[in-house]
Amino acid sequence: MSAGNPDASGEAADGSAGEPVTRTGSAPTPRAPTPLRRLAGVWRRPALRWPKRIASAVVLVVLLALLAAGVSLRVNYAGDPAAGTYTRHRDALWMGHAWVDGRKKDADVEALAARLRTTGVRDLYVHAGPLEHDGTLPVSAYPEARRLIGAIHRELPGVRVQAWLGDELATEGPVGLRLERAATRAAVVRSAGQVLDAGFDGAHFDLEPLHSGDADYLSLLGDLRRVTRAHGALLSVAAHQIDPLPSLHSVWGTVTGHPKWWSQAFFGQVARRVDQIAVMSYDTAMPLESLYGGYVAQQTSLALEVTPKTTDLLMGMPFYYEDDMSHHGSAETVEAAVRGVRLGLSRTDRTRANFGVAAYVDFAAREKDWTQYRRGWVR
């Protein structure tokens, strides 16, 4: 309400408070209210006083929570990593499908080997899928696998080549692989045996979006491990990030329909069923390097707390550049990821032997990514 001259309030003679008018001659003609003005009018109603106060309080609480989380992550990124928190030579690299479909040649393998000899990379996750939605895998998907595996073993003795298999799960839509179907899980297990028979040193699974607490997934891992052990091979998985706040996956899932995180307890259940678990600690939506690095430090600590010492734990780092809502390339750098990993390792389990980093992905990597990895982690 305006003070002073009541005419200054903009109230028209017909009582249409605040409505703009046009003048033709001497008679004002009211304009039809816009949707925005109608909404503003509703918002000013006295009956909404308490709902407005509650809504404002909720917004304030959310803003304060975000501020507190940001401060916490920034503090997490402070300090110096402990001495000796460098590569244990158990690192990994996700690699594209071109390595097994014939596009990559011997010269490419030689160039890859020359690069990797000066790193801590021991495992290569080579894309050999994707799986069909029924869990099967066409042999035609990886025609050059044996040639690649032989060349890698020759050029890089001790480096293991794992078949990276994945598919979209039908957890948030009608299309995708359905783990609740026993026949589908059985087909996935057969597909794992199939790639191991082809000479791969392990099977690496990336199934998304995988919701926390999925009992069918845990059952599948038990069946897969029996197959990999029978072949003397590795079972590894790509894992979702862990709740940065207790039960955040449940709250987020209820609000958005997409529970991004796993609970720490579920992460531990998965880690106990595999030989390797690689956290996809990128696409975090963090806007600043310091916040991203602090987030990776937190994720590293949370994962270390529940991963058995006999299981290889690898923290993912972004060997690619994008700039969108989920991934800010200026923030999610290899330098920040490596520093965050070292800080989390320093604070939680500095001497953990079965630990490394995993770079995603070879075909998008820039020279600066390799440089930051070497300077920060390999030394």
Side-chain angles (χ1 to χ4, degrees):
M1 181 178 293
S2 301
N5 184 352
D7 291 336
S9 68
E11 182 171 330
D14 62 358
S16 55
E19 295 297 333
V21 296
T22 56
R23 298 186 181 278
T24 55
S26 60
T29 303
R31 287 180 182 168
T34 65
L36 188 59
R37 289 184 176 275
R38 284 196 294 268
L39 182 61
V42 171
W43 184 253
R44 288 195 295 265
R45 290 177 182 172
L48 294 179
R49 180 181 302 166
W50 280 107
K52 286 191 292 186
R53 289 180 178 177
I54 293 171
S56 299
V58 169
V59 171
L60 180 61
V61 167
V62 170
L63 291 176
L64 289 175
L66 291 174
L67 178 62
V71 171
S72 175
L73 293 179
R74 182 62 186 87
V75 170
N76 240 10
Y77 197 56
D80 296 319
T85 51
Y86 302 114
T87 185
R88 279 84 165 116
H89 297 281
R90 294 174 180 266
D91 304 333
L93 173 66
W94 277 286
M95 297 171 61
H97 200 81
W99 292 97
V100 293
D101 68 6
R103 282 177 286 170
K104 294 289 187 178
K105 307 301 180 183
D106 288 344
D108 298 302
V109 175
E110 292 169 4
L112 175 70
R115 181 183 290 281
L116 295 184
R117 287 191 190 102
T118 57
T119 70
V121 172
R122 185 178 66 162
D123 286 285
L124 304 178
Y125 303 141
V126 182
H127 191 265
L131 296 168
E132 300 293 327
H133 291 339
D134 62 0
T136 60
L137 177 66
V139 175
S140 59
Y142 49 94
E144 297 296 318
R146 285 193 181 276
R147 183 191 61 79
L148 172 71
I149 296 166
I152 292 294
H153 288 171
R154 182 176 61 254
E155 296 287 341
L156 294 167
V159 170
R160 303 175 299 195
V161 185
Q162 300 191 46
W164 169 13
L165 304 176
D167 192 22
E168 177 185 7
L169 296 178
T171 50
E172 298 175 11
V175 177
L177 189 147
R178 296 186 176 275
L179 289 179
E180 69 273 18
R181 296 177 179 171
T184 299
R185 296 197 304 274
V188 173
V189 173
R190 289 193 298 272
S191 295
Q194 182 179 312
V195 294
L196 298 179
D197 288 339
F200 282 100
D201 300 306
H204 174 79
F205 284 89
D206 177 17
L207 301 172
E208 303 180 49
L210 183 60
H211 294 179
S212 184
D214 191 321
D216 295 316
Y217 181 62
L218 298 180
S219 175
L220 173 65
L221 293 179
D223 294 337
L224 286 169
R225 199 166 197 186
R226 283 189 285 273
V227 171
T228 55
R229 282 179 170 175
H231 282 77
L234 298 163
L235 172 61
S236 65
V237 295
H240 288 290
Q241 297 156 29
I242 302 173
D243 272 347
L245 297 172
S247 298
L248 183 59
H249 70 283
S250 298
V251 175
W252 191 265
T254 300
V255 173
T256 67
H258 173 61
K260 175 181 176 67
W261 297 277
W262 286 354
S263 71
Q264 190 183 33
F266 182 68
F267 186 97
Q269 289 178 302
V270 173
R272 290 191 292 273
R273 288 167 169 81
V274 298
D275 300 301
Q276 287 183 332
I277 185 166
V279 185
M280 296 181 286
S281 39
Y282 38 78
D283 290 346
T284 65
M286 294 296 163
L288 301 173
E289 256 189 315
S290 58
L291 298 184
Y292 173 63
Y295 182 83
V296 172
Q298 181 198 45
Q299 288 290 307
T300 302
S301 293
L302 291 171
L304 282 166
E305 288 170 0
V306 293
T307 301
K309 291 183 182 293
T310 53
T311 300
D312 284 348
L313 171 63
L314 291 83
M315 301 303 299
M317 56 185 182
F319 267 40
Y320 65 98
Y321 184 94
E322 289 180 359
D323 194 13
D324 53 36
M325 291 296 292
S326 65
H327 182 98
H328 299 290
S330 59
E332 294 196 22
T333 64
V334 174
E335 182 177 11
V338 167
R339 176 175 165 78
V341 165
R342 292 189 63 209
L343 286 168
L345 185 64
S346 301
R347 295 164 183 159
T348 312
D349 194 351
R350 181 176 59 84
T351 61
R352 176 76 67 111
N354 291 0
F355 184 86
V357 296
Y360 180 87
V361 57
D362 77 301
F363 56 79
R366 302 164 298 172
E367 197 59 43
K368 66 181 295 185
D369 298 326
W370 287 105
T371 299
Q372 290 178 7
Y373 161 62
R374 287 195 183 89
R375 285 179 181 171
W377 183 243
V378 180
R379 294 295 172 111

